[in-house]
Amino acid sequence: MRRDLGRFLPGAALVAALTLGAAAPTGAPVSRPGPDTVPVAAQAACATDPATPKRQSRAMWMASVANIDWPSRTGLTPAAQQAEYRSWLDLARQQRMNAVVVQIRPAADAFWPSPYEPWSQWLTGTQGTHPGYDPLAFMVAEAHARNLEFHAWFNPYRVANHTDLTRLAANHPARKNPGWTVAYGGQLYYNPGIPAVRAFVQDAMMDAVRRYDIDAVHWDDYFYPYPVSGVAFPDQATYAQYGAGFGNIADWRRNNVNLLVQEMGAKIHAAKPWVKFGVSPFGIWRNAGTDPLGSRTTGLQSYDAIYADTRRWVRQGWVDYIAPQLYWHIGHPAADYAELVRWWSETVSGTDVQLLVGQGTYRAGAAGQDAAWQDPAELTDHLTLNRAYPRVVGDIQFSAKDVRADRIGAVSRLVADHYRRPALVPLAAGLGGAAPAAPNLTSAVRGTGGVALSWQRGATGSTTAYAVYRLPGDGAVDPCDLADGRHLLGTVRASGSTGMFTDATAAAGGTYRYLVTALDRLHHESAASNVRLVTAAGGTFSVVVDNATAGGFAAATTWGTSSYSSARYGANYRYANPQAVSDPAWFSAALPATDSYRVEVWYPADPGYNSATPYLVATANGTVTVTVDQRSGGQWRVLGTYQLAAGERPVIGVSRWTSAQGYVVADAVRITRL
């Protein structure tokens, strides 16, 4: 069963020492990531909120064919088209989505200056007419500016919604090669059985892949056309010419589509290994009544009707993601949503293929739909059901205009129940990439517009974007604090070596800890940055510097690293034997003004640690030494209030020069402007 919205829609349709009486740090000294690093193993043991997942694909389709979504009509000026498109992206961000799927080759035409095919008629009204700008370059740049993935949606074989070749642009490849085409059901298609056709449509799509910074190639469910009752698809002569070795025309047709999928995936990854390849097929592969491997359904079978062996594509790993169009309600007698999510989840199990679900948002509250779709809870119930199947990594809503329409409040309810916080895009196995170095959060300043954050890019790795986190209160950061999305404020695209973000939602009386992570283009996440603390007092500057803060701590190799004590701040701390030498460990900070600051220190405690550890405070009037008994601790301890000079420099040191026995420890400091 495919939805009856016309043939242009996406089918029926994302850390050893001894002595000095101290508790010895166990094992050899190790170097670990910064204080707010979230080890994968630690995250795996965390209790997370399923309503605020750390990673989840969230997208909507934007159909250009027949001006379904964008542009809203033909003949708009470039400025009007661009304004409309920006509004769709703003809608996606408002709904806390992280991707858009935009149709750029709806019918053997192009939304970019293609050397293969004419400009799309859905831009200007006339096929082949230049729209006055490069829509694809514009679309990708605008999506990335909002840190949305751009999935380029192509239709491989459709040529026109009519059968008259003379109505096509004069330079159209179909007019130059009329033998490539087949008329069927009142429409014109490229013949999937002709090898030259398969090569041509791949070349036409690969032109966009090579020339533009897209994140994925996306196909919908149109391969061989959906059958017209009583009318055979007229490719018997093509079968006779190219079908040697196949016992029947159906197997030959499926092989033609298999080759298209397999070859296209290989070409994409050869050109740009990071670009994903995804297909959104009709929701039923085969029914169990026909094939024991099929789903417990009784609807149209894409394997047989449109020759799409989608199960094979998944099991062979020819695609990176599969997004079946499950446009039926829970409990549908012929195609139960719950059964199909189960079947597709089992199908992707054991593979690296991601499973997204194509959602029939267009049905919610629409006239003429089943009664189930008049319930505002139907759509949100789909995503609740998905939580029982971990292989489901997200959803794509069809389509943008229906997301905006939000009939009966179904979309608003889905967003409130499932998109409450932002989410990172799930990692795609096998496509390479690596987490960049952690950024250095240089400032967090409260102002009239919220808390303004600034940071510097890490020294290594390729950073494409950043994720910004806000934790309530002060204290150490627990790894579990970043295990899901409950503290994720948002993401921002990388630009140059610095970054900025303003938290406009910070309460005036709130005390918060901010952290930033870096992401590569495939969304591998770095260790977290240093923490910046913003207290309840308006405009107060506060910074936490840990021994592992990038650029914020320096110590000689005579200082070991340990994670022995659970009372540490962050992942580890530094320790050294007392000795009459000038060998301090220093914590540095960038202070915004010469002013009065409260200085606090954090260190783990042990009865055998040093009872007279010298802390050095580099004040504006000279260095002050404060002796601290490190036999008790595990919390913030105030050293005092000092006049400190503006600028970035070493501010707090921990010295080894003491006659007392036991390790001296350097862990973390907090400096707050008063």
Side-chain angles (χ1 to χ4, degrees):
M1 298 174 58
R2 72 184 177 107
R3 58 168 189 217
D4 187 18
L5 288 183
R7 301 175 186 230
F8 287 109
L9 306 187
L14 261 25
V15 183
L18 309 169
T19 75
L20 300 187
T26 60
V30 297
S31 177
R32 296 185 177 223
D36 307 305
T37 297
V38 185
V40 173
Q43 283 195 359
C46 296
T48 57
D49 182 354
T52 56
K54 177 71 169 275
R55 295 182 182 272
Q56 185 179 47
S57 286
R58 302 169 181 174
M60 63 184 184
W61 275 291
M62 290 174 57
S64 59
V65 72
N67 301 115
I68 292 171
D69 294 307
W70 181 83
S72 62
R73 59 183 176 85
T74 60
L76 293 175
T77 65
Q81 287 184 3
Q82 292 170 4
E84 278 192 355
Y85 180 75
R86 290 189 183 103
S87 73
W88 287 121
L89 300 188
D90 292 342
L91 174 66
R93 288 286 290 189
Q94 290 163 13
Q95 306 294 355
R96 302 186 188 93
M97 294 179 177
N98 47 34
V100 288
V101 184
V102 187
Q103 195 170 37
I104 64 166
R105 184 182 182 268
D109 52 10
F111 273 56
W112 75 97
S114 170
Y116 294 91
E117 295 174 314
W119 285 104
S120 176
Q121 71 178 89
W122 310 113
L123 288 165
T124 63
T126 304
Q127 192 175 70
T129 299
H130 197 299
Y133 70 113
D134 184 339
L136 184 52
F138 168 79
M139 289 188 286
V140 173
E142 290 290 324
H144 286 172
R146 293 161 179 79
N147 202 37
L148 294 165
E149 281 198 333
F150 186 93
H151 292 223
W153 172 13
F154 304 84
N155 187 293
Y157 288 125
R158 182 168 59 208
V159 174
N161 61 347
H162 56 77
T163 61
D164 187 355
L165 283 168
T166 65
R167 292 172 57 186
L168 302 177
N171 64 342
H172 199 292
R175 291 189 67 170
K176 295 179 177 179
N177 302 277
W180 285 3
T181 65
V182 173
Y184 183 71
Q187 300 192 50
L188 203 61
Y189 301 89
Y190 280 131
N191 189 335
I194 300 175
V197 164
R198 188 172 73 247
F200 174 80
V201 299
Q202 290 173 356
D203 288 344
M205 292 182 282
M206 284 302 301
D207 179 64
V209 176
R210 291 190 178 96
R211 293 171 56 195
Y212 296 86
D213 191 23
I214 67 173
D215 299 287
V217 167
H218 181 96
W219 292 350
D220 56 15
D221 59 324
Y222 287 101
F223 299 100
Y224 278 85
Y226 281 89
V228 175
S229 180
V231 182
F233 186 71
D235 63 348
Q236 288 73 23
T238 313
Y239 173 52
Q241 183 176 1
Y242 297 108
F246 292 90
N248 59 71
I249 198 169
D251 287 343
W252 171 73
R253 288 172 176 166
R254 272 185 291 274
N255 185 65
N256 293 330
V257 180
N258 288 345
L259 288 172
L260 177 74
V261 174
Q262 184 180 17
E263 292 171 357
M264 189 66 184
K267 288 181 178 181
I268 292 166
H269 295 146
K272 292 184 176 180
W274 59 89
V275 172
K276 292 176 280 194
F277 179 33
V279 178
S280 178
F282 182 79
I284 300 172
W285 172 69
R286 300 191 95 185
N287 300 313
T290 302
D291 190 321
L293 295 176
S295 53
R296 298 188 292 264
T297 52
T298 57
L300 180 144
Q301 305 175 112
S302 61
Y303 178 95
D304 303 278
I306 58 175
Y307 309 99
D309 192 354
T310 51
R311 184 179 184 276
R312 184 176 183 187
W313 307 345
V314 170
R315 303 306 296 179
Q316 293 291 332
W318 293 343
V319 295
D320 299 307
Y321 71 80
I322 196 85
Q325 296 168 24
L326 306 188
Y327 296 164
W328 301 278
H329 62 262
I330 296 170
H332 190 286
D336 184 356
Y337 178 88
E339 162 60 14
L340 285 162
V341 171
R342 179 205 64 80
W343 186 87
W344 282 102
S345 185
E346 289 185 0
T347 298
V348 301
S349 293
T351 76
D352 287 337
V353 178
Q354 294 181 324
L355 173 60
L356 287 75
V357 175
Q359 297 289 351
T361 317
Y362 71 95
R363 292 189 184 274
Q369 297 294 335
D370 293 340
W373 288 103
Q374 305 309 319
D375 181 352
E378 178 64 32
L379 200 56
T380 190
D381 286 349
H382 288 201
L383 274 69
T384 300
L385 187 150
N386 291 356
R387 294 177 186 172
Y389 299 94
R391 292 307 304 261
V392 178
V393 301
D395 303 86
I396 311 177
Q397 311 295 326
F398 188 84
S399 69
K401 63 181 176 57
D402 301 291
V403 172
R404 184 171 62 187
D406 190 21
R407 291 179 298 271
I408 65 175
V411 173
S412 293
R413 183 157 178 181
L414 179 152
V415 171
D417 292 347
H418 303 282
Y419 296 174
R420 189 181 313 154
R421 305 299 304 170
L424 306 184
V425 174
L427 294 172
L431 296 187
N440 176 27
L441 185 54
T442 54
S443 69
V445 180
R446 191 192 296 274
T448 56
V451 177
L453 309 178
S454 298
W455 60 84
Q456 293 178 332
R457 185 179 59 202
T460 60
S462 179
T463 299
T464 297
Y466 300 94
V468 182
Y469 297 86
R470 184 187 70 197
L471 282 62
D474 57 11
V477 173
D478 188 292
C480 290
D481 288 336
L482 307 186
D484 60 18
R486 79 190 89 168
H487 300 305
L488 179 61
L489 279 179
T491 62
V492 61
R493 200 73 174 182
S495 178
S497 61
T498 61
M500 296 181 296
F501 181 92
T502 298
D503 176 16
T505 65
T511 294
Y512 303 114
R513 292 160 293 166
Y514 289 93
L515 310 93
V516 179
T517 61
L519 305 161
D520 75 344
R521 69 170 305 138
L522 283 163
H523 314 287
H524 295 87
E525 188 178 29
S526 74
S529 70
N530 53 306
V531 176
R532 290 282 175 176
L533 181 73
V534 174
T535 63
T540 296
F541 167 88
S542 186
V543 61
V544 174
V545 185
D546 180 85
N547 65 281
T549 298
F553 181 84
T557 57
T558 49
W559 289 76
T561 304
S562 177
S563 58
Y564 169 75
S565 176
S566 61
R568 65 188 182 272
Y569 185 97
N572 52 50
Y573 52 95
R574 304 296 291 271
Y575 68 96
N577 287 309
Q579 190 170 347
V581 295
S582 180
D583 184 27
W586 282 100
F587 295 89
S588 296
L591 305 182
T594 299
D595 208 338
S596 182
Y597 294 83
R598 182 177 63 248
V599 175
E600 300 166 271
V601 297
W602 183 297
Y603 49 87
D606 186 272
Y609 284 175
N610 201 284
S611 62
T613 297
Y615 275 85
L616 313 176
V617 184
T619 77
N621 303 307
T623 301
V624 175
T625 302
V626 182
T627 301
V628 173
D629 185 349
Q630 291 191 326
R631 294 175 298 182
S632 62
Q635 60 187 344
W636 289 112
R637 173 170 178 166
V638 178
L639 287 189
T641 299
Y642 307 93
Q643 189 79 0
L644 303 180
E648 185 170 3
R649 60 178 55 82
V651 180
I652 311 299
V654 183
S655 174
R656 300 172 60 195
W657 202 320
T658 174
S659 59
Q661 301 297 298
Y663 288 124
V664 295
V665 173
D667 194 354
V669 302
R670 182 163 68 189
I671 306 170
T672 303
R673 187 179 181 185
L674 303 178

